[in-house]
Amino acid sequence: MKPPVLLYACPTVDQEDWVAALTAAWPGIDLRLWPATGDKAEIEYAFVWKQPAGILSDLPNLKVIFSLGAGVDHVLTDTTLPDHIPLVRMVDPTLVTGMVEFVVMRVLHYHRCMPDYEAQQRAGMWKQLPQLLPSERRVGILGLGELGAACARALAGFGFDVAGWSRTAKDLPGVRGFAGAEQLDAFLAQADILVCLLPLTDQTRGILNRRTLSALPKGAYLINAARGGHLVEDDLVPLLDAGHLAGATLDVFAVEPLPAAHPFWTHPKITVVPHAAALTHPGTASRIVAANIDRHRRGEPLHNVVDRARGY
């Protein structure tokens, strides 16, 4: 059997490491680097991240589309995408581990009063602050998929009072469950630290807005490591300035890179991270893609196929 023909179309990602990893994962693979596609009729598989609209619909023998990231909203924004071709999201244990590390780090940062201690250092002030027990700190996880569930379990392991919200009910040991639109406000009302790890769909776009963020307890913190489209950006700063929210960590934004003049850069209560909470590792992810291609070529079911109707 001839080696597979794979189109790499990730124009915003440095391709050098990915080319090395993909060729190592499948020696002999025919790897085409967009826009140098060669004969488009030969391309069977595509590996994409924020690909230009229309380039996949122009491949007559495309069989599977692989997303470089855990989310696929960047793929589905292309309205010309062929409906019949399976779309596979990235599920990589190293991606999950990275997200758990990031979320735990930021939750602990807020839980242990580090913003206040950093402010005291700048003021030359030596003062110990009251410290809550983890069981006295309520952490809410918006989204209990692969990433959200892993973060919820990790935080519960630290002894935090963890609750999770999802579209449909989920049962996770040590995590109080909320589900559906009718339980969203009750979930928000008990989240001292809110972590957004939802997929971006038509239903979740703009879910972090003035109304929902106002439903959080006064002094709550926000951590958004999902997608920039979840947050209505103009609604955040007024709630921070009014003191309803104590701080926010933002890893994702409506426009990336974040424009130089954007107010988030300089706001004292906002931590800006350049979409780096959990990076896809070329070495491990390439092996996962190669194994899935191998399954497809043997006629076996693909792993982690996206339900286009749900968007994840």
Side-chain angles (χ1 to χ4, degrees):
M1 185 181 295
K2 291 175 59 178
V5 181
L6 174 66
L7 175 66
Y8 175 94
C10 308
T12 64
V13 178
D14 186 1
Q15 69 182 26
E16 183 176 352
D17 289 344
W18 282 101
V19 169
L22 287 164
T23 52
W26 196 314
I29 192 171
D30 187 346
L31 187 60
R32 312 279 176 89
L33 307 179
W34 185 87
T37 59
D39 185 352
K40 294 180 179 180
E42 296 175 344
I43 296 172
E44 306 163 281
Y45 305 96
F47 187 55
V48 302
W49 177 257
K50 297 184 178 179
Q51 81 286 354
I55 68 168
L56 299 178
S57 59
D58 200 25
L59 305 176
N61 295 310
L62 184 63
K63 296 181 174 65
V64 184
I65 302 166
F66 295 96
S67 170
L68 180 145
V72 294
D73 51 285
H74 64 97
V75 185
L76 294 175
T77 55
D78 183 355
T79 58
T80 70
L81 203 67
D83 292 335
H84 66 283
I85 297 177
L87 173 59
V88 176
R89 62 192 178 93
M90 179 58 65
V91 177
D92 182 350
T94 64
L95 190 66
V96 175
T97 299
M99 185 60 76
V100 169
E101 290 174 350
F102 181 82
V103 168
V104 169
M105 172 183 69
R106 296 309 296 173
V107 168
L108 289 174
H109 182 84
Y110 291 136
H111 171 64
R112 293 303 304 264
C113 308
M114 291 309 299
D116 295 320
Y117 283 127
E118 289 168 353
Q120 287 185 184
Q121 179 182 349
R122 291 191 293 270
M125 180 187 300
W126 180 280
K127 179 184 178 182
Q128 293 181 348
L129 301 173
Q131 180 59 56
L132 295 179
L133 297 173
S135 60
E136 297 173 311
R137 183 81 69 181
R138 301 168 299 177
V139 182
I141 308 292
L142 262 176
L144 292 176
E146 292 274 347
L147 298 177
C151 291
R153 286 191 292 266
L155 291 165
F158 276 88
F160 287 105
D161 180 357
V162 181
W165 182 90
S166 52
R167 184 179 63 88
T168 57
K170 301 285 181 69
D171 184 16
L172 291 177
V175 178
R176 292 180 291 115
F178 295 79
E182 65 279 3
Q183 294 187 352
L184 179 59
D185 285 354
F187 163 78
L188 294 170
Q190 54 76 67
D192 301 316
I193 302 175
L194 178 67
V195 182
C196 182
L197 290 169
L198 287 165
L200 184 61
T201 67
D202 289 342
Q203 290 71 41
T204 65
R205 185 176 296 276
I207 194 170
L208 303 174
N209 55 56
R210 183 183 297 271
R211 190 198 71 78
T212 55
L213 295 175
S214 296
L216 296 169
K218 182 176 173 58
Y221 294 93
L222 170 67
I223 300 170
N224 186 17
R227 287 290 184 266
H230 289 119
L231 175 65
V232 179
E233 292 186 349
D234 289 344
D235 290 353
L236 178 60
V237 169
L239 292 171
L240 290 167
D241 289 346
H244 185 75
L245 296 182
T249 294
L250 306 177
D251 178 59
V252 288
F253 305 89
V255 176
E256 296 181 359
L258 187 66
H262 200 289
F264 285 175
W265 281 114
T266 56
H267 197 283
K269 294 183 180 180
I270 296 177
T271 298
V272 170
V273 182
H275 206 141
L279 300 177
T280 306
H281 188 274
T284 57
S286 293
R287 290 193 291 271
I288 289 169
V289 171
N292 231 352
I293 291 175
D294 197 34
R295 270 189 295 274
H296 183 263
R297 283 157 66 90
R298 292 196 304 262
E300 299 173 6
L302 291 160
H303 288 177
N304 306 310
V305 175
V306 170
D307 181 337
R308 295 277 192 97
R310 294 190 304 175
Y312 57 92

